[in-house]
Amino acid sequence: FGNAKPQISNIRTHKAAAGFDRIAVDCDLMYPGDSDIQVSMLGVSSGVRNVQVSGRARIVLTPTISELPFVGGVQFFFLTKPEIDFDFDGAAKLATKLPAIKTKIKEDLLEDMSKEVIFPNRITLPPVLDC
């Protein structure tokens, strides 16, 4: 995914809610990708570059525990559909002449993301216990 690091801003934490043992943090997440993903089929190279994703995200640390690593797991999801952009490369540059192709690809990507990482769906990561 390149060397660019995600940028996090506008951080907001939530007060603990009764009955919930978690820490919830909302933030604006922007990944200014400098990636270069290439595929070659039958000698024809094609790909995408500069994949960018930005949107309002939530990180939930749950459950909280009294010993290292202090949380039992991490959940991540976007609160709303993020903005996605990318540039075509190689033979795929032909798609730049037909904006409907890029629009359709973005719509399909967002549909797939909504099944995995857009609220109410989320990615759950277990803790790493190599402390």
Side-chain angles (χ1 to χ4, degrees):
F1 286 106
N3 295 315
K5 294 174 179 53
Q7 299 169 3
I8 297 174
S9 62
N10 196 17
I11 298 170
R12 178 178 171 248
T13 59
H14 295 270
K15 289 185 177 186
F20 290 99
D21 191 18
R22 66 182 185 187
I23 300 167
V25 180
D26 292 353
C27 62
D28 291 333
L29 176 67
M30 205 289 224
Y31 172 68
D34 60 348
S35 59
D36 184 3
I37 303 166
Q38 298 291 319
V39 176
S40 183
M41 294 175 58
L42 303 172
V44 178
S45 181
S46 181
V48 293
R49 304 177 73 146
N50 304 322
V51 176
Q52 297 182 8
V53 181
S54 63
R56 189 77 177 155
R58 178 169 291 166
I59 300 164
V60 181
L61 309 170
T62 186
T64 56
I65 53 179
S66 60
E67 34 190 75
L68 285 174
F70 301 117
V71 294
V74 177
Q75 298 174 353
F76 171 84
F77 55 94
F78 284 100
L79 294 168
T80 58
K81 287 184 179 181
E83 295 290 322
I84 297 176
D85 198 16
F86 52 85
D87 298 322
F88 290 111
D89 196 27
K93 280 187 180 179
L94 293 173
T96 59
K97 299 196 184 307
L98 298 169
I101 293 174
K102 187 173 184 177
T103 299
K104 176 64 174 154
I105 291 171
K106 284 182 177 183
E107 288 172 358
D108 290 348
L109 281 170
L110 286 171
E111 182 179 330
D112 289 345
M113 286 179 72
S114 70
K115 296 174 186 172
E116 301 290 331
V117 72
I118 299 174
F119 183 78
N121 299 308
R122 60 197 68 214
I123 296 173
T124 300
L125 305 169
V128 177
L129 298 176
D130 295 341
C131 297

